[in-house]
Amino acid sequence: MIVGPLKGYHHETYAFPLPPESPLRPRYKWGKLRSPRSGVLWYDRRCFASEDRLLLMLEGRVDRVPESVEVAPGVFLQGFVEGRPPGGGPLPGRPLSGHHEGQLARLFQQVVAIKTDEFDDLPRTCLPDGHPVLDDDSTVFLNRLTDFTATQVYDRHAEEYGELFERLGVRRRALEALALPAGRLANRPFTLVHGDLHRHNFIVDHAGDLWTIDWELAMIGDPLYELATHLHLMRCSPRDAQRVGTMWAGAVEEVRPGASREWQRDLPYLLAYKRVQSVVTDVVRAAVGLGPRNDPHRVALPVAAWKVRRVLEAARGPLGLTQVPTVPQVMSAYAGWLKRSGPATAP
């Protein structure tokens, strides 16, 4: 029996029961094969060319991540972790349990403890030209992320979706304003960063333990980006954000002194980037999700508009919005865009 394709943006994933002779069979009942989807836009700056080779490197170093085995040259089989997202589903703003938060703290420690030179043999796509290694410059790291979103996401889609960006108040100058002068952020030692720690990338197994899956957006960079991404994607309340941030800082400092240097001062800059990045990403995704403009899924428009309005509200500060468009105004912006002829270009 083969189950799939399972829901996913970057890959088509198929799960199936493992045969007795599989090297994963002693630890997993099911395995999964993943095939990259062609023509998919990466909304995030990707660092490692192969998630599976990264997982092989993490084996024995990071608890509760899927095992991967190479079953043929360049073909990998991953163990399929059976379970559910923490909290029983997508519950925005709900914190992890104390038990799972403790396991998350351990994950933070194990990830930052790995020396960055141990990744030298893994094929990487994020090294700037002429620089064989990254240099622990937190300001340069943030500016590279900002530049990626500006050039590879916003500019790349400006011709197709520029009308939507303009009507919704999402302007390129907001991204340009996120770039910081040299030395503005404290330099923290670069570490491995999962880069996508949200509820759907956690699985609680049948024993009640927290697993971390989907490492395809992992990178080497400022460890504070891990915290910023997690707080943003989990939609933590200010009170929970302070508590989780304090937990993160204490955990990483134990194993990598300096990893949390000036974190409370610098965190707002990384959060501002994540909020603007989410708006640019979700404006495009919502448009594509409505289908071709000559035959759109109009019943999906209210939900899409609500989602876009939510990320606009979260980013109103860095976007410089005095007023956030209402849901009807967002719907009107998309309805006007849909009237133009021609099919939407799916990334």
Side-chain angles (χ1 to χ4, degrees):
M1 178 179 63
I2 297 178
V3 179
L6 304 177
K7 184 178 179 181
Y9 176 73
H10 298 106
H11 295 84
E12 285 191 351
T13 302
Y14 296 86
F16 52 90
L18 290 170
E21 64 272 17
S22 169
L24 294 175
R25 188 64 178 85
R27 296 167 298 283
Y28 300 87
K29 293 180 180 179
W30 289 68
K32 64 180 181 181
L33 284 171
R34 311 179 79 198
S35 175
R37 292 177 56 196
S38 62
V40 169
L41 172 70
W42 289 83
Y43 293 99
D44 296 85
R45 187 168 179 262
R46 193 183 184 199
C47 191
F48 296 103
S50 170
E51 177 195 14
D52 290 286
R53 295 195 185 281
L54 174 62
L55 289 175
L56 286 172
M57 186 265 186
L58 296 181
E59 187 174 345
R61 300 166 182 251
V62 179
D63 297 338
R64 294 180 297 282
V65 298
E67 291 182 53
S68 180
V69 294
E70 192 168 12
V71 294
V75 178
F76 294 86
L77 176 66
Q78 285 187 22
F80 182 80
V81 182
E82 297 183 79
R84 54 175 176 77
L91 300 173
R94 180 172 177 175
L96 298 175
S97 69
H99 174 63
H100 294 150
E101 228 172 59
Q103 293 183 328
L104 178 62
R106 178 63 174 162
L107 172 71
F108 288 147
Q109 289 185 321
Q110 291 176 326
V111 166
V112 302
I114 303 173
K115 303 297 184 183
T116 54
D117 59 8
E118 296 182 54
F119 299 99
D120 289 347
D121 293 335
L122 292 181
R124 279 191 266 166
T125 60
C126 61
L127 293 177
D129 293 341
H131 294 268
V133 295
L134 295 174
D135 52 11
D136 293 5
D137 190 320
S138 298
T139 307
V140 168
F141 172 77
L142 177 57
N143 288 347
R144 287 174 184 160
L145 293 175
T146 301
D147 181 70
F148 178 90
T149 301
T151 60
Q152 300 303 312
V153 185
Y154 191 98
D155 290 350
R156 185 171 176 178
H157 291 87
E159 182 176 356
E160 183 76 19
Y161 305 107
E163 175 187 334
L164 281 173
F165 288 145
E166 185 67 24
R167 290 193 62 177
L168 296 172
V170 184
R171 299 179 175 89
R172 197 183 195 281
R173 63 174 177 264
L175 282 162
E176 295 168 353
L178 295 174
L180 299 176
R184 180 63 185 88
L185 300 182
N187 287 339
R188 288 167 284 273
F190 278 17
T191 66
L192 177 65
V193 175
H194 178 282
D196 201 23
L197 289 178
H198 60 79
R199 196 171 300 277
H200 283 297
N201 284 342
F202 293 131
I203 296 294
V204 177
D205 66 16
H206 299 313
D209 291 321
L210 194 72
W211 290 65
T212 307
I213 62 173
D214 289 354
W215 290 74
E216 57 203 359
L217 298 185
M219 63 176 70
I220 293 174
D222 183 354
L224 186 58
Y225 182 67
E226 188 86 278
L227 175 64
T229 301
H230 177 67
L231 296 179
H232 171 68
L233 294 177
M234 294 289 285
R235 301 185 222 168
C236 291
S237 68
R239 179 178 179 180
D240 286 334
Q242 180 62 38
R243 177 179 51 76
V244 173
T246 301
M247 176 270 287
W248 169 85
V252 299
E253 281 294 328
E254 283 188 18
V255 296
R256 183 63 66 87
S260 68
R261 184 177 297 121
E262 299 287 355
W263 74 272
Q264 295 193 72
R265 186 198 70 180
D266 291 351
L267 180 61
Y269 295 103
L270 281 88
L271 283 173
Y273 164 71
K274 291 303 301 182
R275 288 165 180 160
V276 174
Q277 180 204 29
S278 287
V279 172
V280 175
T281 297
D282 287 357
V283 167
V284 175
R285 279 184 168 170
V288 173
L290 293 174
R293 289 194 295 274
N294 57 0
D295 186 24
H297 308 305
R298 293 190 180 276
V299 294
L301 183 54
V303 174
W306 179 85
K307 291 180 178 178
V308 169
R309 203 271 175 191
R310 178 178 56 79
V311 294
L312 284 168
E313 176 64 43
R316 67 183 303 167
L319 285 176
L321 298 178
T322 55
Q323 286 188 324
V324 178
T326 63
V327 170
Q329 288 171 332
V330 176
M331 291 177 64
S332 176
Y334 277 92
W337 175 80
L338 285 168
K339 289 180 180 178
R340 292 195 294 118
S341 63
T345 301

